[in-house]
Amino acid sequence: MIAPDKSWFDGFFERNSTEQKWIPLGSERNLIKEWNIVLSSDLKIRGFKEIISDDCFNHEGEIWFIGELD
């Protein structure tokens, strides 16, 4: 994903509705080590447990972001 400017990105990680929740994964999870990824030191990684729920569809999984996340 490419954001057009920083203001568009503000609040992006805040998902807490009845239809969609993103719960931050704890520091015990490390996708870099699990997948043996080499990552530039200026990039950040954030993981979330994603819960999607509506009348016709339910899903729980993980979603990960790597990049300039600050």
Side-chain angles (χ1 to χ4, degrees):
M1 173 186 77
I2 298 175
D5 60 43
K6 182 162 175 22
S7 66
W8 184 90
F9 197 62
D10 292 341
F12 178 79
F13 294 108
E14 297 169 18
R15 309 288 172 109
N16 192 21
S17 68
T18 56
E19 295 85 20
Q20 184 181 40
K21 294 185 188 307
W22 285 2
I23 303 166
L25 294 174
S27 59
E28 68 275 358
R29 288 295 312 278
N30 188 329
L31 192 69
I32 301 300
K33 288 182 181 176
E34 289 177 25
W35 288 16
N36 197 27
I37 298 172
V38 177
L39 186 65
S40 173
S41 62
D42 61 334
L43 298 178
K44 305 288 187 237
I45 185 165
R46 291 177 75 179
F48 297 87
K49 176 178 181 180
E50 180 182 45
I51 302 170
I52 298 173
S53 181
D54 67 22
D55 295 336
C56 302
F57 181 76
N58 292 305
H59 170 76
E60 287 191 25
E62 291 182 358
I63 187 168
W64 289 85
F65 298 89
I66 298 173
E68 297 175 356
L69 304 176
D70 293 329

